[in-house]
Amino acid sequence: MPTPSVLMGAVAYDPKVVTIWEGFRGWLRGRGLEFDFVLYSHYERQVDDLVAGRIDAAWNSPLAWLRADRLATAGGGSVHALTMRDTDRDLTSVVVVRADSPVHRVEDLAGRLVATGAVDSPQATLIPLGHLAAAGVRVDVRRFDVGVGLHGDHIGGERDAARALAAGEVDAACMIDANHLMFVQEGTLPPEGTRIVAQTGRYDHCNMTVREPASDGVRLFGDLLRGMSYADPQVRPLLDLEGLTAWQDGRTTGYAALAEAVDASGFYAPDGRVTAADYRP
Amino acid sequence: MTADVDIDLGGLGFDRGAHLLVQRALAGLPPGGRLAVSGTDAALGVHLPAWCRSRGHRVEWPDPADRSRLVAVVVRGTADDDRWFGAERAGPPLPGALHSRPPPRWGLGARGALLEAGGPEARFDLDDRDLVWADIAPTLYAQAAARQWDPQTAVPWDDTFTLPADVEAAVVQVMTYLVENEQAALVVPARFIGRIHPHFREVVQLLAVQVADEARHMEVFSRRALLRGAELGTSSAGGRQSLFTLVAESDFALASFLLSVLGEGSFVDLLGFLVRHAPDPVTRRICWLAMQDERRHVVFGMAHLEHQATVDPLLRDRLRAAIHRRHDALADTAGLNADVFDALVVLAAGGWNPDDVAAGFEHVRALQQAMDQGRQRRLVRLGFRPDEAAALSALHTRNFM
């Protein structure tokens, strides 16, 4: 019987991605899975390759999950969320103003200038702008396109939006909840210098997207990931780098807000084609 | 909502340290335990769940109809405990019960600290208690640290004195020789500091101070050499060869033996000689200060070799072989720089009458005898028979150090 195998794609949004997946590769191979990974410079090509069958699994952003799902469905197939990090569940994004801002309620943002992350950032652009649109609040947007194609994994655009807010260049800025705390702690935003005027509903972040959940390799991959223990000193540093304490089952119930934002903004077509006008990953 | 414990953060937010209070409250609960968190900070509802997510804690939100200050109930996760699973203490904090062989995984962890499992295998090849330790090391370190002196203020650099040109030249020659010796005495322990397991940190600290001692000595001897002129004296090839055999010795015990027990021991005698015969207050003072430091170096070298001699019956064979090896390596060299020997005679003579010179010569000969006696005494303390100690001492380099 051949050794179960998985070839996974990961997007190299940061040099640490190599450290993480080389480390995981050694750990997984030591437990009977012939695992390897390929690195992509952006998510769109990774999704193309997953759906085309060139890789077995894709460590996907939520936006990449949506497109993989749409592409696969349009082609008569399907993809599945195998696992996700415990930290991928129930995130929110916030819209932040300076403490002395006249904006107190979300409606007060109407007609004002709002800074966002990159065009393809679910958490700092698509979902919060979708949230404002759903509330009937029309705003002007100043986008900070850093790391386009990385779906917001590169935090640069989000941080630049926060800097623009602190500098008084914009009226509000969008960011993930944890990053608001981090930006204050690291000094990007002044302590007690900002107020949160809107918070989105809870949504989910990345998942390990696979084509054939029942194959030996993918089933073993899922079992091994879920079996990684934070008490294991070999994988703990890698889990710390990847920002999780445990792998959990994948779920797809947390992507509705992003799907609505994608449809409303015309980012992807229903069949998964990239239709965003000014998006060049 | 039910909870095991309640905490009210008041107006404190996570941007100003609220996590400390939450962490403290959670620490008292088992995994799965429930902590009700209340507070009035406006961002608490955003930051508390975000913080919990990153730490592996689960959050349950209150009923929207709940009008209390309850923000959420935190269900304690296992990550905090898991991180310390398999953690171990890096030995005892105090040196009373040191490990005989601290493992490489303790590496740079502070002795006595609780070490998270994992981390690098940091190899320090001098990791055997018997090879590096001496019980006197902590005390000696404390003394050494307390007795550091400031070269600028501890020496009367501004004293007005004038020496005859040939006496000044003799001082410059001797200072030149001392600088070279101290350079070697600095490099030898410095090379070992990075090889000793930090578990034996008092030894590392002591050697570090010893290096600092030598650095000061190099400074003051150089400064005295240039106090009245612009040039240093001569440096013989044989002298440098002799010193380099010390630097090249890679065995800690043998290097310590050659440097501290034989070399620095003789060096203390030389410094004492210079204190007695120095023609000016600056030279007298710096030799006295250096002598105090060097005595400490000898005490440590002797202490750890005496200990080692009790646990390693072959030690004396190795020490004996080291002396022979060094003697053979230097057999074809001229030994002490003749200029240095002559300069010592000039300083001890104190004048140019034939009787003065004869007396000076006799003082230097007495110095050499004293050095020999001192070496023999220390060799006997290390367990050599007196006749063998005499024979071995005679093989010591004519360069003194």
Side-chain angles (χ1 to χ4, degrees):
Chain A
M1 210 172 87
T3 307
S5 71
V6 162
L7 178 62
M8 185 201 79
V11 168
Y13 67 92
D14 185 282
K16 73 178 181 180
V17 172
V18 176
T19 308
I20 292 166
W21 287 103
E22 277 190 356
F24 282 160
R25 179 173 63 186
W27 191 90
L28 292 165
R29 283 183 178 179
R31 284 155 182 79
L33 178 65
E34 189 51 46
F35 176 84
D36 204 358
F37 64 96
V38 289
L39 293 178
Y40 290 88
S41 62
H42 61 79
Y43 275 108
E44 308 312 332
R45 190 175 303 282
Q46 173 168 297
V47 170
D48 290 340
D49 278 7
L50 175 72
V51 175
R54 286 187 280 271
I55 54 177
D56 305 306
W59 182 216
N60 264 345
S61 76
L63 191 59
W65 155 258
L66 279 185
R67 178 154 176 260
D69 187 38
R70 290 181 180 194
L71 278 178
T73 304
S78 63
V79 289
H80 308 268
L82 180 69
T83 56
M84 61 204 312
R85 300 172 297 188
D86 56 351
T87 47
D88 282 318
R89 295 173 174 229
D90 297 326
L91 285 65
T92 66
S93 291
V94 290
V95 185
V96 180
V97 297
R98 288 185 301 281
D100 59 0
S101 167
V103 174
H104 290 279
R105 297 170 307 152
V106 66
E107 297 80 28
D108 299 338
L109 285 170
R112 293 187 180 270
L113 184 58
V114 176
T116 70
V119 61
D120 57 342
S121 170
Q123 57 270 13
T125 308
L126 293 164
I127 290 175
L129 289 183
H131 178 78
L132 294 179
V137 178
R138 295 174 65 89
V139 296
D140 292 328
V141 173
R142 181 180 296 175
R143 228 171 51 209
F144 289 87
D145 276 333
V146 179
V148 171
L150 304 179
H151 291 189
D153 287 354
H154 190 296
I155 200 174
E158 209 167 325
R159 187 177 274 120
D160 284 352
R163 286 188 179 126
L165 175 69
E169 296 167 10
V170 296
D171 297 307
C174 303
M175 60 200 70
I176 209 164
D177 49 15
N179 283 346
H180 180 250
L181 181 55
M182 184 175 80
F183 291 156
V184 172
Q185 287 171 337
E186 73 184 13
T188 298
L189 292 175
E192 299 182 63
T194 58
R195 274 189 288 113
I196 295 165
V197 291
Q199 183 179 20
T200 69
R202 293 193 281 275
Y203 59 85
D204 285 354
H205 209 250
C206 302
N207 76 55
M208 185 66 72
T209 315
V210 297
R211 283 182 296 106
E212 296 181 25
S215 73
D216 288 346
V218 169
R219 272 193 299 148
L220 180 57
F221 185 37
D223 289 345
L224 289 176
L225 287 179
R226 280 182 293 263
M228 281 182 181
S229 168
Y230 201 61
D232 175 351
Q234 191 187 341
V235 292
R236 187 168 55 243
L238 306 172
L239 297 174
D240 281 338
L241 271 181
E242 185 56 45
L244 72 156
T245 67
W247 291 96
Q248 297 184 344
D249 288 337
R251 71 180 185 191
T252 58
T253 52
Y255 299 121
L258 182 60
E260 284 167 22
V262 162
D263 289 334
S265 63
F267 199 91
Y268 294 142
D271 62 4
R273 278 176 298 117
V274 178
T275 47
D278 45 0
Y279 175 48
R280 185 179 294 272
Chain B
M1 292 176 84
T2 61
D4 305 306
V5 183
D6 298 281
I7 182 173
D8 193 329
L9 300 172
L12 185 66
F14 270 69
D15 52 352
R16 291 187 298 137
H19 71 283
L20 290 169
L21 294 178
V22 175
Q23 215 159 249
R24 183 164 172 264
L26 285 171
L29 296 174
R34 301 160 65 81
L35 171 69
V37 181
S38 302
T40 58
D41 178 70
L44 201 54
V46 171
H47 292 163
L48 172 66
W51 180 84
C52 288
R53 201 165 59 228
S54 71
R55 299 305 183 97
H57 303 304
R58 202 158 55 75
V59 165
E60 293 177 4
W61 283 269
D63 190 308
D66 187 335
R67 291 281 161 241
S68 72
R69 283 156 42 127
L70 178 66
V71 177
V73 170
V74 178
V75 184
R76 191 191 201 281
T78 61
D80 289 343
D81 304 81
D82 288 346
R83 179 177 293 283
W84 298 106
F85 180 80
E88 62 176 331
R89 291 276 168 198
L94 297 175
L98 292 180
H99 255 253
S100 58
R101 209 68 190 266
R105 66 177 181 278
W106 289 4
L108 289 169
R111 192 175 69 210
L114 183 64
L115 303 183
E116 180 184 351
E121 292 270 311
R123 270 193 196 286
F124 291 89
D125 67 311
L126 293 173
D127 60 354
D128 186 328
R129 184 185 188 279
D130 290 334
L131 289 185
V132 298
W133 185 253
D135 286 334
I136 199 173
T139 310
L140 272 183
Y141 165 70
Q143 279 178 13
R147 292 181 188 170
Q148 297 291 292
W149 40 270
D150 179 352
Q152 180 57 33
T153 55
V155 180
W157 298 109
D158 297 331
D159 266 25
T160 51
F161 65 86
T162 310
L163 302 180
D166 39 24
V167 175
E168 175 66 20
V171 171
V172 170
Q173 180 58 59
V174 171
M175 292 298 122
T176 304
Y177 168 77
L178 295 183
V179 171
E180 287 186 354
N181 278 272
E182 298 300 51
Q183 283 177 172
L186 183 152
V187 172
V188 171
R191 288 190 161 191
F192 287 105
I193 284 175
R195 291 175 51 194
I196 295 173
H197 197 300
H199 187 65
F200 308 110
R201 67 175 164 78
E202 288 83 357
V203 173
V204 175
Q205 289 166 280
L206 183 59
L207 292 179
V209 175
Q210 193 165 319
V211 166
D213 288 343
E214 309 300 6
R216 282 197 319 277
H217 300 173
M218 284 162 59
E219 178 191 342
V220 295
F221 293 146
S222 299
R223 191 163 166 182
R224 172 62 190 93
L226 295 170
L227 196 60
R228 295 288 186 262
E231 287 185 336
L232 267 71
T234 63
S235 164
S236 75
R240 295 202 303 280
Q241 178 68 30
S242 172
L243 292 175
F244 192 69
T245 57
L246 292 176
V247 174
E249 178 57 67
S250 61
D251 183 291
F252 182 61
L254 300 186
S256 178
F257 174 63
L258 295 176
L259 175 71
S260 299
V261 177
L262 297 181
E264 287 176 317
S266 301
F267 205 63
V268 167
D269 291 328
L270 173 61
L271 290 168
F273 172 91
L274 290 169
V275 169
R276 282 193 300 282
H277 298 291
D280 64 85
V282 171
T283 303
R284 192 175 308 118
R285 178 67 176 162
I286 59 180
C287 289
W288 187 86
L289 287 167
M291 185 173 66
Q292 308 306 314
D293 295 336
E294 298 294 346
R295 279 186 175 144
R296 234 176 15 242
H297 306 172
V298 178
V299 169
F300 173 67
M302 281 299 293
H304 108 81
L305 284 168
E306 280 180 297
H307 168 75
Q308 213 182 327
T310 64
V311 294
D312 178 7
L314 298 178
L315 177 69
R316 274 182 293 278
D317 293 337
R318 293 167 57 217
L319 300 181
R320 184 184 298 115
I323 293 180
H324 280 286
R325 209 162 46 237
R326 186 158 186 238
H327 176 262
D328 293 347
L330 298 174
D332 298 332
T333 65
L336 179 66
N337 183 352
D339 292 344
V340 176
F341 186 89
D342 291 347
L344 292 174
V345 173
V346 168
L347 294 181
W352 290 99
N353 290 323
D355 288 349
D356 295 333
V357 173
F361 198 89
E362 200 44 50
H363 283 308
V364 175
R365 202 199 299 276
L367 165 65
Q368 288 174 303
Q369 279 172 359
M371 287 172 163
D372 181 44
Q373 294 295 318
R375 285 195 296 271
Q376 291 189 43
R377 266 200 314 278
R378 290 189 290 279
L379 287 166
V380 167
R381 270 176 58 192
L382 292 177
F384 289 98
R385 289 193 323 271
D387 56 336
E388 189 180 17
L392 290 173
S393 176
L395 293 176
H396 184 62
T397 170
R398 288 161 291 170
N399 189 47
F400 298 164
M401 181 83 164

